[in-house]
Amino acid sequence: MEPDGTITAVNAAFVQLTAYPPAEAVGHRYDELLFGPSTDAGAMRDYRRAREQGRELTQDLLLYRKDGATFWIESDLIPVQNAAGQLTRWISIGNDITKRRQTEDALRAAKETAETNSRLKSEFLANLSHEIRTPMNAVIGMTELALATQLSDEQREYLQTVRSSSALLLGLLNDILDLSKIEAGRLEVSA
């Protein structure tokens, strides 16, 4: 490219990747030909700043093919200077990283989905255990009140079984609530 970014020559890999034949690429500025609406504004700014300052730049860029399809490249913009240190041209080397970026995006989306699902599960367990604990406490309380009255031995045995089973169930619910709090990062530890 010329110092202003005008393309002077392209190779076969450029043609294959961009679908621009040499006759349609030469004479156009690289950024005007390949940048588009989804190209990151910061990346475009960095590219133009590096070109204006005559400094080397390596960055990932989302570019546009001739047909409007997008692709990702890892771009190396390399300044070429004459013996006097003046910028005479640029060499741009791009490696197609579209598949890598698609994989990274898919992994990022899967991670976000998993985190959201985990949070929703924890919230559900916390709500469920809270909603069950309230009536369970009523069952335990009413059982205690009933045990304090005149009962036959058989009735007392039944109510003691209810009290014991209710206490075990309440302990299980508390464990579920603690687990959901741990997963949600809201468990408070007391000494």
Side-chain angles (χ1 to χ4, degrees), residues 6 10 53 56 80 88 100 139-140 148 156 160 163-164 175:
T6 301
V10 297
Q53 296 172 355
E56 188 169 340
V80 178
T88 59
R100 184 189 86 197
V139 169
I140 291 171
R156 185 166 302 284
Q160 286 173 341
R163 178 178 61 186
S164 173
D175 290 345

Side-chain angles (χ1 to χ4, degrees), residues 146-158:
L147 284 169
T149 64
Q150 291 286 354
L151 301 169
S152 69
D153 288 343
E154 186 178 7
Q155 290 172 324
R156 185 166 302 284
E157 184 180 332
Y158 291 159

